[in-house]
Amino acid sequence: MTHSNRVVLVTGGASGIGAVLVRSYAAAGAAVGIVDRDAQAGNALAEELKGQGRQVYFSGADVADFNACRQACLLIEDALGPVDTLVNNAGISPKHDGQPQPIWRMDPAEWHRVVDVNLHSAFNFCRILAPGMVERRFGRIVSMSSVAGKAYLDIVAAHYSTTKAAIIGLTRHLAGELGPYGITVNALAPGRIDTPMVAGAPPAANEAVIATTPLRRLGKPAEVADACLFLSSEQAGFITGQVIDVAGGWLMT
Ligand code: NAP
């Protein structure tokens, strides 16, 4: 699958699944804009890939802040050209001593922050970039949901599940709205993927997932990236409004 002549924007692209997405799109020939709050890791990744002859641009921003997202998009489009592929990947899943906080102990500020980072960020980038896609009658949007958005999981908290379910609602709605303009909108629902987000979890949490996953292992970020590259490829041009599990058969939601 080639992505040459594409301009891709990956949120949360400095580490974990996002960094692998950036590498994969760049290797497939795309120009890639990275938006992340981690300027050190984001700049290092961009410099490394530029050193390999890839077109990559990093812009530091908090994806929860609409104006910062708009500024990041302006800088990326100035550097690379109009974005035709948006990957809403940035996300957080706060834990306390490795455990999710039950609703009766949850700090309202934590609830609001997770909604801002996991959900409002997707609104921000869709709102900013959809007008250009509509004008050009082409676009690809892929957002990161989770199996936790489709089934109850005791290893995450209510704010996380709620935002990941909302991403599915947003995906289906935008698929309907934007389809007539040649824009596909899909979501991925990863299972447990081996990234910094899960690295801090107690070993028992991963062991329990592995034991109930038919493929008996955690997923690799590259396996999520492969599914994302497919959904945003020419070959997936008739797939929209879908949520694809990348979960080794875990839960089969
Ligand atoms: P990760 O390793 O924690 O990486 C997320 C990246 O997003 C980090 O670089 C992080 O920066 C950045 N980020 C977080 N909040 C931000 C903000 N407000 N503004 C800008 N950048 C921000 O996470 P991951 O495991 O790769 O997860 C990527 C996506 O997949 C998330 O949406 C997650 O919910 C979803 N997902 C992951 C799994 C899994 O098992 N890993 C499963 C299902 C779904 P910092 O390092 O500074 O925080």
Side-chain angles (χ1 to χ4, degrees), residues 46-99:
E47 289 311 311
E48 179 198 324
L49 292 172
K50 278 193 262 181
Q52 297 167 11
R54 311 293 187 196
Q55 263 191 293
V56 180
Y57 186 91
F58 171 74
S59 180
D62 180 345
V63 295
D65 176 341
F66 184 82
N67 288 328
C69 295
R70 191 160 46 191
Q71 181 63 18
C73 289
L74 280 174
L75 291 170
I76 287 168
E77 293 202 319
D78 266 3
L80 305 176
V83 171
D84 50 40
T85 304
L86 165 64
V87 185
N88 290 309
N89 166 75
I92 54 173
S93 183
K95 304 274 169 33
H96 298 261
D97 297 325
Q99 299 297 329

mmCIF file of all heavy atoms in Angstrom, residues 46-99:
data_model
loop_
_atom_site.group_PDB
_atom_site.id
_atom_site.type_symbol
_atom_site.label_atom_id
_atom_site.label_comp_id
_atom_site.label_asym_id
_atom_site.label_seq_id
_atom_site.Cartn_x
_atom_site.Cartn_y
_atom_site.Cartn_z
ATOM 1 N N ALA A 46 11.091 13.349 14.299
ATOM 2 C CA ALA A 46 11.062 14.079 13.018
ATOM 3 C C ALA A 46 12.471 14.202 12.442
ATOM 4 O O ALA A 46 12.681 13.964 11.239
ATOM 5 C CB ALA A 46 10.437 15.456 13.221
ATOM 6 N N GLU A 47 13.450 14.541 13.286
ATOM 7 C CA GLU A 47 14.836 14.696 12.791
ATOM 8 C C GLU A 47 15.372 13.370 12.270
ATOM 9 O O GLU A 47 16.026 13.321 11.233
ATOM 10 C CB GLU A 47 15.745 15.242 13.904
ATOM 11 C CG GLU A 47 15.488 16.708 14.254
ATOM 12 C CD GLU A 47 15.437 17.623 13.014
ATOM 13 O OE1 GLU A 47 16.354 17.536 12.180
ATOM 14 O OE2 GLU A 47 14.478 18.395 12.891
ATOM 15 N N GLU A 48 15.094 12.297 13.010
ATOM 16 C CA GLU A 48 15.575 10.971 12.579
ATOM 17 C C GLU A 48 15.024 10.629 11.189
ATOM 18 O O GLU A 48 15.765 10.205 10.300
ATOM 19 C CB GLU A 48 15.121 9.905 13.595
ATOM 20 C CG GLU A 48 15.549 8.493 13.235
ATOM 21 C CD GLU A 48 14.736 7.440 13.976
ATOM 22 O OE1 GLU A 48 14.383 7.660 15.153
ATOM 23 O OE2 GLU A 48 14.445 6.396 13.347
ATOM 24 N N LEU A 49 13.723 10.845 10.988
ATOM 25 C CA LEU A 49 13.112 10.467 9.713
ATOM 26 C C LEU A 49 13.542 11.410 8.586
ATOM 27 O O LEU A 49 13.733 10.980 7.445
ATOM 28 C CB LEU A 49 11.583 10.419 9.855
ATOM 29 C CG LEU A 49 11.098 9.272 10.765
ATOM 30 C CD1 LEU A 49 9.609 9.396 11.037
ATOM 31 C CD2 LEU A 49 11.405 7.907 10.156
ATOM 32 N N LYS A 50 13.721 12.693 8.932
ATOM 33 C CA LYS A 50 14.207 13.627 7.907
ATOM 34 C C LYS A 50 15.602 13.204 7.443
ATOM 35 O O LYS A 50 15.932 13.315 6.259
ATOM 36 C CB LYS A 50 14.227 15.060 8.449
ATOM 37 C CG LYS A 50 12.846 15.717 8.378
ATOM 38 C CD LYS A 50 12.932 17.209 8.607
ATOM 39 C CE LYS A 50 12.597 17.537 10.028
ATOM 40 N NZ LYS A 50 12.624 18.960 10.351
ATOM 41 N N GLY A 51 16.408 12.707 8.397
ATOM 42 C CA GLY A 51 17.752 12.213 8.079
ATOM 43 C C GLY A 51 17.714 11.048 7.100
ATOM 44 O O GLY A 51 18.697 10.749 6.423
ATOM 45 N N GLN A 52 16.566 10.364 7.044
ATOM 46 C CA GLN A 52 16.416 9.241 6.096
ATOM 47 C C GLN A 52 15.746 9.700 4.798
ATOM 48 O O GLN A 52 15.279 8.888 4.008
ATOM 49 C CB GLN A 52 15.559 8.141 6.738
ATOM 50 C CG GLN A 52 16.185 7.528 7.979
ATOM 51 C CD GLN A 52 15.186 6.676 8.772
ATOM 52 O OE1 GLN A 52 14.094 6.379 8.316
ATOM 53 N NE2 GLN A 52 15.575 6.292 9.977
ATOM 54 N N GLY A 53 15.636 11.031 4.648
ATOM 55 C CA GLY A 53 15.066 11.559 3.409
ATOM 56 C C GLY A 53 13.550 11.659 3.408
ATOM 57 O O GLY A 53 12.939 11.909 2.364
ATOM 58 N N ARG A 54 12.917 11.452 4.569
ATOM 59 C CA ARG A 54 11.446 11.536 4.636
ATOM 60 C C ARG A 54 11.023 12.978 4.886
ATOM 61 O O ARG A 54 11.773 13.765 5.476
ATOM 62 C CB ARG A 54 10.899 10.678 5.781
ATOM 63 C CG ARG A 54 11.426 9.264 5.825
ATOM 64 C CD ARG A 54 10.962 8.439 4.664
ATOM 65 N NE ARG A 54 11.369 7.053 4.832
ATOM 66 C CZ ARG A 54 11.376 6.173 3.841
ATOM 67 N NH1 ARG A 54 11.036 6.536 2.633
ATOM 68 N NH2 ARG A 54 11.734 4.934 4.069
ATOM 69 N N GLN A 55 9.798 13.280 4.480
ATOM 70 C CA GLN A 55 9.223 14.606 4.744
ATOM 71 C C GLN A 55 8.398 14.521 6.016
ATOM 72 O O GLN A 55 7.294 13.941 6.016
ATOM 73 C CB GLN A 55 8.293 14.972 3.601
ATOM 74 C CG GLN A 55 8.886 15.852 2.537
ATOM 75 C CD GLN A 55 7.768 16.342 1.636
ATOM 76 O OE1 GLN A 55 7.177 15.534 0.919
ATOM 77 N NE2 GLN A 55 7.478 17.622 1.682
ATOM 78 N N VAL A 56 8.915 15.079 7.092
ATOM 79 C CA VAL A 56 8.226 14.987 8.393
ATOM 80 C C VAL A 56 8.329 16.334 9.096
ATOM 81 O O VAL A 56 9.373 16.995 9.017
ATOM 82 C CB VAL A 56 8.866 13.888 9.282
ATOM 83 C CG1 VAL A 56 8.153 13.783 10.618
ATOM 84 C CG2 VAL A 56 8.821 12.532 8.576
ATOM 85 N N TYR A 57 7.242 16.739 9.756
ATOM 86 C CA TYR A 57 7.249 18.019 10.462
ATOM 87 C C TYR A 57 6.603 17.810 11.823
ATOM 88 O O TYR A 57 5.514 17.233 11.920
ATOM 89 C CB TYR A 57 6.459 19.066 9.667
ATOM 90 C CG TYR A 57 6.537 20.447 10.257
ATOM 91 C CD1 TYR A 57 7.536 21.339 9.869
ATOM 92 C CD2 TYR A 57 5.612 20.860 11.218
ATOM 93 C CE1 TYR A 57 7.621 22.603 10.425
ATOM 94 C CE2 TYR A 57 5.686 22.128 11.771
ATOM 95 C CZ TYR A 57 6.684 22.991 11.371
ATOM 96 O OH TYR A 57 6.767 24.247 11.918
ATOM 97 N N PHE A 58 7.281 18.286 12.864
ATOM 98 C CA PHE A 58 6.714 18.165 14.218
ATOM 99 C C PHE A 58 6.193 19.506 14.695
ATOM 100 O O PHE A 58 6.870 20.532 14.545
ATOM 101 C CB PHE A 58 7.778 17.665 15.219
ATOM 102 C CG PHE A 58 7.263 17.742 16.638
ATOM 103 C CD1 PHE A 58 6.320 16.824 17.089
ATOM 104 C CD2 PHE A 58 7.678 18.747 17.498
ATOM 105 C CE1 PHE A 58 5.804 16.909 18.378
ATOM 106 C CE2 PHE A 58 7.173 18.838 18.793
ATOM 107 C CZ PHE A 58 6.236 17.906 19.233
ATOM 108 N N SER A 59 5.009 19.489 15.280
ATOM 109 C CA SER A 59 4.473 20.687 15.921
ATOM 110 C C SER A 59 3.995 20.320 17.324
ATOM 111 O O SER A 59 3.124 19.450 17.479
ATOM 112 C CB SER A 59 3.320 21.252 15.092
ATOM 113 O OG SER A 59 2.820 22.397 15.727
ATOM 114 N N GLY A 60 4.549 20.975 18.316
ATOM 115 C CA GLY A 60 4.160 20.700 19.706
ATOM 116 C C GLY A 60 2.842 21.368 20.033
ATOM 117 O O GLY A 60 2.657 22.546 19.750
ATOM 118 N N ALA A 61 1.899 20.607 20.592
ATOM 119 C CA ALA A 61 0.615 21.202 20.990
ATOM 120 C C ALA A 61 -0.092 20.262 21.955
ATOM 121 O O ALA A 61 0.112 19.045 21.914
ATOM 122 C CB ALA A 61 -0.275 21.438 19.766
ATOM 123 N N ASP A 62 -0.931 20.864 22.794
ATOM 124 C CA ASP A 62 -1.853 20.085 23.611
ATOM 125 C C ASP A 62 -3.104 19.885 22.757
ATOM 126 O O ASP A 62 -3.785 20.863 22.406
ATOM 127 C CB ASP A 62 -2.183 20.878 24.892
ATOM 128 C CG ASP A 62 -3.154 20.132 25.799
ATOM 129 O OD1 ASP A 62 -3.796 19.159 25.338
ATOM 130 O OD2 ASP A 62 -3.273 20.526 26.968
ATOM 131 N N VAL A 63 -3.406 18.647 22.420
ATOM 132 C CA VAL A 63 -4.514 18.378 21.485
ATOM 133 C C VAL A 63 -5.880 18.737 22.074
ATOM 134 O O VAL A 63 -6.886 18.757 21.362
ATOM 135 C CB VAL A 63 -4.519 16.899 21.014
ATOM 136 C CG1 VAL A 63 -3.271 16.593 20.202
ATOM 137 C CG2 VAL A 63 -4.684 15.940 22.189
ATOM 138 N N ALA A 64 -5.911 19.011 23.378
ATOM 139 C CA ALA A 64 -7.172 19.416 24.013
ATOM 140 C C ALA A 64 -7.478 20.893 23.783
ATOM 141 O O ALA A 64 -8.584 21.347 24.078
ATOM 142 C CB ALA A 64 -7.101 19.132 25.515
ATOM 143 N N ASP A 65 -6.514 21.638 23.274
ATOM 144 C CA ASP A 65 -6.624 23.096 23.145
ATOM 145 C C ASP A 65 -6.905 23.437 21.669
ATOM 146 O O ASP A 65 -6.019 23.292 20.811
ATOM 147 C CB ASP A 65 -5.291 23.701 23.632
ATOM 148 C CG ASP A 65 -5.230 25.211 23.464
ATOM 149 O OD1 ASP A 65 -6.003 25.784 22.675
ATOM 150 O OD2 ASP A 65 -4.359 25.809 24.119
ATOM 151 N N PHE A 66 -8.131 23.884 21.386
ATOM 152 C CA PHE A 66 -8.535 24.105 19.987
ATOM 153 C C PHE A 66 -7.588 25.060 19.266
ATOM 154 O O PHE A 66 -7.174 24.799 18.132
ATOM 155 C CB PHE A 66 -9.974 24.638 19.919
ATOM 156 C CG PHE A 66 -10.483 24.786 18.515
ATOM 157 C CD1 PHE A 66 -10.982 23.693 17.820
ATOM 158 C CD2 PHE A 66 -10.436 26.006 17.867
ATOM 159 C CE1 PHE A 66 -11.429 23.816 16.505
ATOM 160 C CE2 PHE A 66 -10.881 26.134 16.554
ATOM 161 C CZ PHE A 66 -11.378 25.044 15.878
ATOM 162 N N ASN A 67 -7.258 26.169 19.898
ATOM 163 C CA ASN A 67 -6.406 27.156 19.208
ATOM 164 C C ASN A 67 -5.007 26.607 18.948
ATOM 165 O O ASN A 67 -4.410 26.885 17.905
ATOM 166 C CB ASN A 67 -6.340 28.461 20.005
ATOM 167 C CG ASN A 67 -7.669 29.197 19.915
ATOM 168 O OD1 ASN A 67 -8.369 29.107 18.908
ATOM 169 N ND2 ASN A 67 -8.039 29.900 20.982
ATOM 170 N N ALA A 68 -4.494 25.823 19.894
ATOM 171 C CA ALA A 68 -3.175 25.211 19.688
ATOM 172 C C ALA A 68 -3.236 24.196 18.539
ATOM 173 O O ALA A 68 -2.288 24.083 17.739
ATOM 174 C CB ALA A 68 -2.708 24.532 20.975
ATOM 175 N N CYS A 69 -4.340 23.485 18.414
ATOM 176 C CA CYS A 69 -4.501 22.525 17.310
ATOM 177 C C CYS A 69 -4.549 23.266 15.976
ATOM 178 O O CYS A 69 -3.956 22.830 14.978
ATOM 179 C CB CYS A 69 -5.794 21.714 17.470
ATOM 180 S SG CYS A 69 -5.797 20.663 18.910
ATOM 181 N N ARG A 70 -5.275 24.408 15.966
ATOM 182 C CA ARG A 70 -5.372 25.186 14.718
ATOM 183 C C ARG A 70 -3.992 25.689 14.293
ATOM 184 O O ARG A 70 -3.618 25.616 13.133
ATOM 185 C CB ARG A 70 -6.336 26.358 14.913
ATOM 186 C CG ARG A 70 -6.669 27.025 13.591
ATOM 187 C CD ARG A 70 -7.921 27.828 13.645
ATOM 188 N NE ARG A 70 -7.959 28.666 14.827
ATOM 189 C CZ ARG A 70 -9.029 29.332 15.239
ATOM 190 N NH1 ARG A 70 -10.146 29.232 14.568
ATOM 191 N NH2 ARG A 70 -8.997 30.078 16.305
ATOM 192 N N GLN A 71 -3.224 26.163 15.272
ATOM 193 C CA GLN A 71 -1.875 26.649 14.977
ATOM 194 C C GLN A 71 -0.996 25.502 14.448
ATOM 195 O O GLN A 71 -0.251 25.677 13.478
ATOM 196 C CB GLN A 71 -1.278 27.261 16.264
ATOM 197 C CG GLN A 71 0.109 27.835 16.118
ATOM 198 C CD GLN A 71 0.162 29.020 15.138
ATOM 199 O OE1 GLN A 71 -0.875 29.614 14.822
ATOM 200 N NE2 GLN A 71 1.344 29.332 14.639
ATOM 201 N N ALA A 72 -1.109 24.342 15.076
ATOM 202 C CA ALA A 72 -0.312 23.181 14.638
ATOM 203 C C ALA A 72 -0.681 22.797 13.204
ATOM 204 O O ALA A 72 0.193 22.502 12.375
ATOM 205 C CB ALA A 72 -0.537 21.996 15.580
ATOM 206 N N CYS A 73 -1.965 22.813 12.884
ATOM 207 C CA CYS A 73 -2.402 22.457 11.520
ATOM 208 C C CYS A 73 -1.882 23.467 10.508
ATOM 209 O O CYS A 73 -1.449 23.081 9.404
ATOM 210 C CB CYS A 73 -3.928 22.377 11.452
ATOM 211 S SG CYS A 73 -4.579 20.937 12.317
ATOM 212 N N LEU A 74 -1.917 24.760 10.877
ATOM 213 C CA LEU A 74 -1.402 25.795 9.963
ATOM 214 C C LEU A 74 0.076 25.552 9.667
ATOM 215 O O LEU A 74 0.505 25.593 8.508
ATOM 216 C CB LEU A 74 -1.558 27.185 10.598
ATOM 217 C CG LEU A 74 -2.946 27.827 10.524
ATOM 218 C CD1 LEU A 74 -2.972 29.126 11.327
ATOM 219 C CD2 LEU A 74 -3.322 28.096 9.062
ATOM 220 N N LEU A 75 0.844 25.280 10.716
ATOM 221 C CA LEU A 75 2.291 25.066 10.533
ATOM 222 C C LEU A 75 2.552 23.833 9.671
ATOM 223 O O LEU A 75 3.407 23.853 8.773
ATOM 224 C CB LEU A 75 2.978 24.909 11.907
ATOM 225 C CG LEU A 75 3.040 26.180 12.769
ATOM 226 C CD1 LEU A 75 3.513 25.850 14.182
ATOM 227 C CD2 LEU A 75 3.972 27.215 12.131
ATOM 228 N N ILE A 76 1.810 22.766 9.946
ATOM 229 C CA ILE A 76 2.019 21.514 9.197
ATOM 230 C C ILE A 76 1.617 21.700 7.737
ATOM 231 O O ILE A 76 2.332 21.278 6.812
ATOM 232 C CB ILE A 76 1.258 20.351 9.881
ATOM 233 C CG1 ILE A 76 1.997 19.960 11.169
ATOM 234 C CG2 ILE A 76 1.088 19.156 8.952
ATOM 235 C CD1 ILE A 76 1.241 19.031 12.090
ATOM 236 N N GLU A 77 0.498 22.371 7.494
ATOM 237 C CA GLU A 77 0.061 22.555 6.097
ATOM 238 C C GLU A 77 0.997 23.508 5.353
ATOM 239 O O GLU A 77 1.240 23.332 4.160
ATOM 240 C CB GLU A 77 -1.399 23.006 6.060
ATOM 241 C CG GLU A 77 -2.322 21.882 6.561
ATOM 242 C CD GLU A 77 -3.761 21.987 6.095
ATOM 243 O OE1 GLU A 77 -4.293 23.115 6.092
ATOM 244 O OE2 GLU A 77 -4.341 20.933 5.741
ATOM 245 N N ASP A 78 1.541 24.492 6.054
ATOM 246 C CA ASP A 78 2.549 25.376 5.434
ATOM 247 C C ASP A 78 3.774 24.576 5.013
ATOM 248 O O ASP A 78 4.351 24.796 3.952
ATOM 249 C CB ASP A 78 3.019 26.436 6.442
ATOM 250 C CG ASP A 78 2.230 27.718 6.299
ATOM 251 O OD1 ASP A 78 1.311 27.740 5.462
ATOM 252 O OD2 ASP A 78 2.536 28.677 7.036
ATOM 253 N N ALA A 79 4.183 23.654 5.878
ATOM 254 C CA ALA A 79 5.413 22.891 5.631
ATOM 255 C C ALA A 79 5.215 21.762 4.624
ATOM 256 O O ALA A 79 6.100 21.483 3.814
ATOM 257 C CB ALA A 79 5.937 22.310 6.956
ATOM 258 N N LEU A 80 4.056 21.095 4.681
ATOM 259 C CA LEU A 80 3.898 19.853 3.916
ATOM 260 C C LEU A 80 2.812 19.899 2.843
ATOM 261 O O LEU A 80 2.777 19.056 1.948
ATOM 262 C CB LEU A 80 3.576 18.684 4.868
ATOM 263 C CG LEU A 80 4.564 18.435 6.021
ATOM 264 C CD1 LEU A 80 4.046 17.308 6.915
ATOM 265 C CD2 LEU A 80 5.949 18.090 5.485
ATOM 266 N N GLY A 81 1.887 20.858 2.960
ATOM 267 C CA GLY A 81 0.746 20.915 2.033
ATOM 268 C C GLY A 81 -0.526 20.479 2.748
ATOM 269 O O GLY A 81 -0.486 20.088 3.923
ATOM 270 N N PRO A 82 -1.671 20.548 2.038
ATOM 271 C CA PRO A 82 -2.961 20.243 2.664
ATOM 272 C C PRO A 82 -3.026 18.811 3.202
ATOM 273 O O PRO A 82 -2.654 17.864 2.505
ATOM 274 C CB PRO A 82 -3.969 20.421 1.523
ATOM 275 C CG PRO A 82 -3.268 21.241 0.498
ATOM 276 C CD PRO A 82 -1.800 20.952 0.624
ATOM 277 N N VAL A 83 -3.517 18.690 4.419
ATOM 278 C CA VAL A 83 -3.640 17.362 5.041
ATOM 279 C C VAL A 83 -4.832 16.637 4.426
ATOM 280 O O VAL A 83 -5.944 17.158 4.410
ATOM 281 C CB VAL A 83 -3.830 17.500 6.573
ATOM 282 C CG1 VAL A 83 -4.186 16.150 7.199
ATOM 283 C CG2 VAL A 83 -2.575 18.086 7.218
ATOM 284 N N ASP A 84 -4.584 15.429 3.906
ATOM 285 C CA ASP A 84 -5.709 14.636 3.385
ATOM 286 C C ASP A 84 -6.001 13.411 4.239
ATOM 287 O O ASP A 84 -7.014 12.738 4.050
ATOM 288 C CB ASP A 84 -5.485 14.229 1.919
ATOM 289 C CG ASP A 84 -4.122 13.610 1.691
ATOM 290 O OD1 ASP A 84 -3.672 12.825 2.548
ATOM 291 O OD2 ASP A 84 -3.494 13.933 0.661
ATOM 292 N N THR A 85 -5.103 13.100 5.184
ATOM 293 C CA THR A 85 -5.294 11.923 6.039
ATOM 294 C C THR A 85 -5.060 12.334 7.488
ATOM 295 O O THR A 85 -3.956 12.776 7.840
ATOM 296 C CB THR A 85 -4.305 10.802 5.654
ATOM 297 O OG1 THR A 85 -4.478 10.497 4.265
ATOM 298 C CG2 THR A 85 -4.526 9.554 6.488
ATOM 299 N N LEU A 86 -6.101 12.208 8.293
ATOM 300 C CA LEU A 86 -6.014 12.584 9.712
ATOM 301 C C LEU A 86 -6.126 11.325 10.564
ATOM 302 O O LEU A 86 -7.071 10.538 10.393
ATOM 303 C CB LEU A 86 -7.165 13.544 10.052
ATOM 304 C CG LEU A 86 -7.453 13.751 11.545
ATOM 305 C CD1 LEU A 86 -6.277 14.410 12.253
ATOM 306 C CD2 LEU A 86 -8.721 14.596 11.720
ATOM 307 N N VAL A 87 -5.174 11.143 11.467
ATOM 308 C CA VAL A 87 -5.263 10.030 12.420
ATOM 309 C C VAL A 87 -5.364 10.610 13.829
ATOM 310 O O VAL A 87 -4.403 11.177 14.354
ATOM 311 C CB VAL A 87 -4.052 9.075 12.318
ATOM 312 C CG1 VAL A 87 -4.264 7.884 13.253
ATOM 313 C CG2 VAL A 87 -3.855 8.593 10.883
ATOM 314 N N ASN A 88 -6.553 10.496 14.407
ATOM 315 C CA ASN A 88 -6.789 10.965 15.776
ATOM 316 C C ASN A 88 -6.348 9.861 16.733
ATOM 317 O O ASN A 88 -7.119 8.955 17.047
ATOM 318 C CB ASN A 88 -8.284 11.262 15.977
ATOM 319 C CG ASN A 88 -8.729 12.475 15.227
ATOM 320 O OD1 ASN A 88 -8.122 13.543 15.323
ATOM 321 N ND2 ASN A 88 -9.799 12.330 14.445
ATOM 322 N N ASN A 89 -5.092 9.948 17.140
ATOM 323 C CA ASN A 89 -4.502 8.854 17.934
ATOM 324 C C ASN A 89 -4.236 9.238 19.386
ATOM 325 O O ASN A 89 -4.239 8.369 20.266
ATOM 326 C CB ASN A 89 -3.199 8.415 17.257
ATOM 327 C CG ASN A 89 -2.352 7.536 18.153
ATOM 328 O OD1 ASN A 89 -2.662 6.361 18.362
ATOM 329 N ND2 ASN A 89 -1.285 8.103 18.722
ATOM 330 N N ALA A 90 -4.000 10.518 19.677
ATOM 331 C CA ALA A 90 -3.600 10.906 21.045
ATOM 332 C C ALA A 90 -4.650 10.456 22.054
ATOM 333 O O ALA A 90 -5.853 10.565 21.809
ATOM 334 C CB ALA A 90 -3.414 12.424 21.136
ATOM 335 N N GLY A 91 -4.182 9.943 23.169
ATOM 336 C CA GLY A 91 -5.121 9.519 24.203
ATOM 337 C C GLY A 91 -4.401 9.269 25.510
ATOM 338 O O GLY A 91 -3.190 9.031 25.531
ATOM 339 N N ILE A 92 -5.154 9.364 26.597
ATOM 340 C CA ILE A 92 -4.596 9.078 27.924
ATOM 341 C C ILE A 92 -5.552 8.159 28.686
ATOM 342 O O ILE A 92 -6.754 8.128 28.397
ATOM 343 C CB ILE A 92 -4.356 10.379 28.750
ATOM 344 C CG1 ILE A 92 -5.631 11.226 28.830
ATOM 345 C CG2 ILE A 92 -3.208 11.180 28.155
ATOM 346 C CD1 ILE A 92 -5.518 12.441 29.757
ATOM 347 N N SER A 93 -4.985 7.428 29.618
ATOM 348 C CA SER A 93 -5.783 6.520 30.452
ATOM 349 C C SER A 93 -5.223 6.559 31.877
ATOM 350 O O SER A 93 -4.465 5.676 32.283
ATOM 351 C CB SER A 93 -5.717 5.099 29.873
ATOM 352 O OG SER A 93 -6.530 4.218 30.614
ATOM 353 N N PRO A 94 -5.554 7.625 32.627
ATOM 354 C CA PRO A 94 -4.937 7.791 33.957
ATOM 355 C C PRO A 94 -5.233 6.620 34.899
ATOM 356 O O PRO A 94 -6.338 6.095 34.919
ATOM 357 C CB PRO A 94 -5.599 9.069 34.484
ATOM 358 C CG PRO A 94 -6.143 9.765 33.297
ATOM 359 C CD PRO A 94 -6.487 8.700 32.302
ATOM 360 N N LYS A 95 -4.185 6.258 35.638
ATOM 361 C CA LYS A 95 -4.305 5.194 36.646
ATOM 362 C C LYS A 95 -3.748 5.726 37.963
ATOM 363 O O LYS A 95 -2.965 6.671 37.970
ATOM 364 C CB LYS A 95 -3.492 3.962 36.234
ATOM 365 C CG LYS A 95 -3.850 3.395 34.871
ATOM 366 C CD LYS A 95 -4.990 2.426 34.954
ATOM 367 C CE LYS A 95 -5.596 2.015 33.634
ATOM 368 N NZ LYS A 95 -4.780 1.906 32.476
ATOM 369 N N HIS A 96 -4.116 5.080 39.059
ATOM 370 C CA HIS A 96 -3.609 5.449 40.382
ATOM 371 C C HIS A 96 -3.003 4.195 40.990
ATOM 372 O O HIS A 96 -3.719 3.212 41.186
ATOM 373 C CB HIS A 96 -4.746 6.012 41.247
ATOM 374 C CG HIS A 96 -5.318 7.266 40.646
ATOM 375 N ND1 HIS A 96 -4.958 8.523 41.073
ATOM 376 C CD2 HIS A 96 -6.177 7.452 39.610
ATOM 377 C CE1 HIS A 96 -5.582 9.429 40.330
ATOM 378 N NE2 HIS A 96 -6.335 8.805 39.445
ATOM 379 N N ASP A 97 -1.682 4.214 41.217
ATOM 380 C CA ASP A 97 -0.954 3.007 41.632
ATOM 381 C C ASP A 97 -1.260 1.859 40.664
ATOM 382 O O ASP A 97 -1.480 0.717 41.094
ATOM 383 C CB ASP A 97 -1.310 2.606 43.069
ATOM 384 C CG ASP A 97 -0.887 3.671 44.061
ATOM 385 O OD1 ASP A 97 0.169 4.306 43.841
ATOM 386 O OD2 ASP A 97 -1.629 3.882 45.047
ATOM 387 N N GLY A 98 -1.312 2.182 39.388
ATOM 388 C CA GLY A 98 -1.535 1.156 38.368
ATOM 389 C C GLY A 98 -2.986 0.723 38.222
ATOM 390 O O GLY A 98 -3.291 -0.136 37.399
ATOM 391 N N GLN A 99 -3.877 1.308 39.030
ATOM 392 C CA GLN A 99 -5.280 0.873 39.003
ATOM 393 C C GLN A 99 -6.191 1.993 38.493
ATOM 394 O O GLN A 99 -5.950 3.161 38.789
ATOM 395 C CB GLN A 99 -5.746 0.508 40.431
ATOM 396 C CG GLN A 99 -4.987 -0.628 41.073
ATOM 397 C CD GLN A 99 -5.142 -1.950 40.330
ATOM 398 O OE1 GLN A 99 -6.170 -2.208 39.721
ATOM 399 N NE2 GLN A 99 -4.098 -2.771 40.351
#
